[in-house]
């Protein structure tokens, strides 16, 4: 069992990774988290990591639920999802769109993968690591314990219909028109 200090440190993975990258710029630094710690308690770290555009790769596994705390709604849960005892009538709150947040905050690489497609996910991970700047990899990761309906994701995911954008305004249009199940590179920009 992790101590309170260890648990708090795990919630600040991006802050620790930024410190590591600052101290050792020669390292390829990868950070992994979930939709809860990445977009809720660690949301501030996420926004500022995007803004700073440090050469980090941030992998967020998104299952639209707090699976480790018995199925509570997360920031990416649909507003009408009512299977949680804490929100039996749904959350009533619009859900976050992680790629849109990453773009607005300044990430220069945004992609979405699916945990059920290891080959495609590996390709995106390699591209994210090779990108010079902040790379955000949004990974759809079904939680079959608390969200059994997500078993259908394997039939719902599809390649991103458009070519990846390199202009933030174009990327915003593509992301806003996306159904959230598209896989592939959404946006990449090289800054001087």
């Amino acid at each position: 069992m992790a101590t309170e200090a260890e648990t708090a440190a795990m919630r600040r993975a991006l802050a620790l990774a930024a410190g590591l990258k600052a101290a050792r710029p020669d390292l390829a630094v990868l950070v992994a988290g979930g939709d809860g710690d990445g977009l809720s308690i660690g949301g501030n770290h996420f926004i500022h990591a995007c803004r700073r555009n440090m050469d980090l790769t941030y992998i967020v596994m998104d299952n639209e639920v707090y699976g480790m705390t018995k199925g509570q709604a997360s920031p990416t849960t649909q507003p009408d999802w009512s299977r949680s005892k804490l929100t039996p009538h749904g959350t009533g709150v619009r859900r976050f769109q992680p790629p849109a947040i990453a773009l607005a905050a300044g990430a220069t690489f945004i992609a979405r993968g699916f945990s059920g497609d290891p080959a495609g996910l590996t390709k995106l991970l390699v591209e994210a690591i090779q990108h010079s700047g902040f790379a955000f990899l949004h990974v759809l990761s079904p939680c079959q314990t608390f969200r059994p309906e997500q078993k259908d994701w394997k039939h719902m995911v599809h390649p991103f219909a458009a070519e990846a954008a390199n202009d933030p305004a174009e990327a915003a249009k593509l992301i806003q028109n996306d159904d959230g199940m598209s896989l592939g590179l959404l946006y990449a920009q090289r800054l001087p």
Side-chain angles (χ1 to χ4, degrees):
M1 185 94 181
T3 67
E4 187 175 328
E6 290 167 333
T7 302
M10 287 186 277
R11 288 187 203 125
R12 293 184 282 277
L14 274 172
L16 292 170
L20 175 62
K21 187 65 179 185
R24 292 286 311 272
D26 57 308
L27 296 177
V29 179
L30 283 72
V31 187
D35 49 311
D37 64 315
L39 301 168
S40 184
I41 195 166
N44 190 42
H45 297 291
F46 174 51
I47 290 168
H48 290 287
C50 291
R51 182 175 68 92
R52 289 184 186 104
N53 196 36
M54 290 185 80
D55 190 14
L56 302 169
T57 300
Y58 188 35
I59 306 151
V60 172
M61 279 92 37
D62 185 359
N63 56 18
E64 301 176 357
V65 69
Y66 286 122
M68 305 247 335
T69 56
K70 308 295 186 234
Q72 300 158 328
S74 84
T76 57
T77 303
Q78 300 89 337
D80 60 348
W81 183 69
S82 59
R83 293 186 64 148
S84 171
K85 292 178 183 175
L86 293 177
T87 54
H89 304 290
T91 65
V93 180
R94 284 185 290 179
R95 65 196 233 164
F96 281 167
Q97 293 181 336
I101 294 170
L103 180 68
T108 54
F109 179 100
I110 303 167
R112 185 183 298 118
F114 176 53
S115 61
D117 175 19
L121 190 54
T122 300
K123 180 182 178 296
L124 290 172
L125 185 56
V126 168
E127 289 177 31
I129 293 168
Q130 292 173 343
H131 177 77
S132 180
F134 188 81
F136 174 61
L137 182 53
H138 182 220
V139 181
L140 302 175
S141 303
C143 176
Q144 295 182 12
T145 301
F146 296 107
R147 301 290 308 261
E149 69 275 13
Q150 292 176 346
K151 290 179 186 177
D152 292 337
W153 280 6
K154 64 183 170 193
H155 304 295
M156 297 169 65
V157 294
H158 53 86
F160 193 57
E163 191 169 316
N166 61 7
D167 174 70
E170 285 301 312
K173 288 180 196 173
L174 294 172
I175 290 169
Q176 290 301 321
N177 291 320
D178 181 53
D179 66 358
M181 300 304 282
S182 298
L183 307 179
L185 180 61
L186 305 170
Y187 171 71
Q189 182 185 50
R190 301 253 183 236
L191 295 178

